[in-house]
């Protein structure tokens, strides 16, 4: 072969201008999904500009750093998506009152509150003010009982407030063997009708406001010495119940918050993979930035110290 003629007569090879386009606009852009490429190319240009990269080598190192940063951002978005997905799953479990996992702890907490307040667990989850309303009602009952202990006759209370006071008095009177018929006669001023005694015994009596003074008179007649102290004791019980309702409501909210916080953390297996990948990307990023700085210093005629290396020895 006549190599001299071959080299002399060879036609010049024209470079495809699109090849430079890959270098100029992110030669690594094929490593990101097509939908991300416009934003990614703008990101690459910003990293090049901020790093002051000049020439092919520096621009490639800047591109490598840009890709590492892009992937680190993707890891952060993945973690956010995982957390949001798991939190939605927990919220769905809470709404369905499941009894396992993070949602199960919330279900148990609101069921406990339901037993104390009487409202459904679903209503208590949707409207935290219901628990506070019950606590306020219990404290109001305590205040009325304390007023009775101080000599008030119970007149003038609205029906919504006379019922819990009358119920507390009626329950205690039955416990000390006061007959329901006697209570009905004291409250109404008449003999009991059919069903009245059963209504008192079953807790279905309404204890209307105009009936309360007669019940208070019976209370003082049957408990002449201990009546006031018992009233104060009943009032204290009501206040303790109010405090317990508030504590249970606060605990339920804390359990719900903790369940969502725990759901925000990926599972152990996913977390391990994400952490390892994130550490790998950070090493790639820092190495690219180090090499970029070294290349820049070399072009400027400055010293380019290599990366620090050392051996860690454990003392025996």
């Amino acid at each position: 072969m006549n190599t001299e003629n071959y080299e002399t007569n060879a036609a010049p090879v024209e470079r495809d201008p699109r090849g430079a386009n890959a270098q100029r606009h992110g030669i690594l852009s094929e490593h990101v999904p097509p939908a991300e490429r416009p934003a990614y190319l703008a990101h690459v240009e910003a990293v090049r500009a901020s790093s002051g990269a000049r020439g092919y080598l520096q621009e490639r190192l800047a591109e490598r750093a840009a890709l590492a940063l892009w992937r680190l951002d993707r890891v952060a978005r993945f973690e956010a998506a995982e957390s949001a997905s798991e939190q939605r799953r927990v919220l769905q479990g809470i709404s369905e009152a499941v009894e396992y996992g993070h949602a199960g702890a919330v279900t148990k907490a609101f069921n406990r509150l339901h037993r104390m307040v009487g409202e459904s667990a679903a209503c208590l989850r949707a409207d935290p003010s219901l628990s506070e309303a019950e606590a306020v009602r219990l404290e109001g009952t305590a205040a009325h009982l304390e007023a009775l202990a101080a000599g008030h006759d119970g007149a003038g209370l609205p029906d919504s407030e006379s019922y819990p006071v009358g119920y507390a008095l009626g329950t205690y009177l039955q416990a000390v063997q006061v007959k329901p018929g006697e209570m009905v006669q004291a409250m109404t001023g008449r003999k009991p009708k059919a069903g009245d005694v059963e209504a008192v015994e079953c807790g279905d009596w309404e204890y209307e406001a105009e009936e309360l003074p007669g019940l208070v008179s019976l209370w003082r007649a049957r408990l002449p010495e201990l009546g006031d102290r018992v009233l104060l004791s009943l009032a204290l019980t009501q206040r303790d119940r109010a405090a317990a309702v508030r504590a249970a409501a606060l605990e339920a909210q804390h359990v719900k918050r903790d369940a969502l916080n725990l759901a925000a953390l990926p599972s152990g297996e996913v977390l391990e993979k994400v952490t390892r990948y994130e550490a790998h990307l950070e090493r790639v990023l820092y190495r690219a930035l180090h090499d970029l700085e070294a290349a820049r210093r070399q072009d400027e005629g400055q010293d380019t110290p290599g990366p620090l290396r050392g051996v860690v020895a454990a003392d025996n």
Side-chain angles (χ1 to χ4, degrees), residues 211-233:
E211 299 171 345
L212 196 57
L215 187 62
V216 172
S217 297
L218 176 64
W219 175 277
R220 292 193 170 120
R222 298 300 298 268
L223 300 168
E225 298 180 0
L226 298 177
D228 291 345
R229 279 186 285 176
V230 173
L231 287 170
L232 292 176
S233 177

Side-chain angles (χ1 to χ4, degrees), residues 4 29 47 62 64 93 106 134-135 149 160 164-165 190 195 211 234 240 246-247 252 276 292-293 312:
E4 182 178 354
S29 65
V47 172
R64 189 164 180 80
V106 180
E134 175 63 10
S160 60
V165 174
R190 57 170 175 76
E211 299 171 345
L234 293 175
D240 288 344
R246 287 194 173 102
R276 290 172 60 185
L292 176 58
E293 177 64 17
V312 177

Side-chain angles (χ1 to χ4, degrees), residues 23 26-29 31 40 43-44 47-48 51 53 56-72 280-292:
Q23 175 190 343
I27 199 168
L28 299 178
S29 65
H31 296 309
Y40 174 71
H43 165 72
V44 170
V47 172
R48 281 174 176 162
S51 64
Y56 180 79
L57 177 60
Q58 291 184 28
E59 288 189 351
R60 287 300 307 275
L61 291 170
E63 290 169 359
R64 189 164 180 80
L67 181 60
L69 284 170
W70 191 263
R71 286 174 169 170
L72 282 168
H280 162 71
L281 291 176
E282 288 177 346
R283 288 194 298 270
V284 171
L285 171 63
Y286 297 145
R287 180 59 184 267
L289 293 175
H290 175 272
D291 291 350
L292 176 58

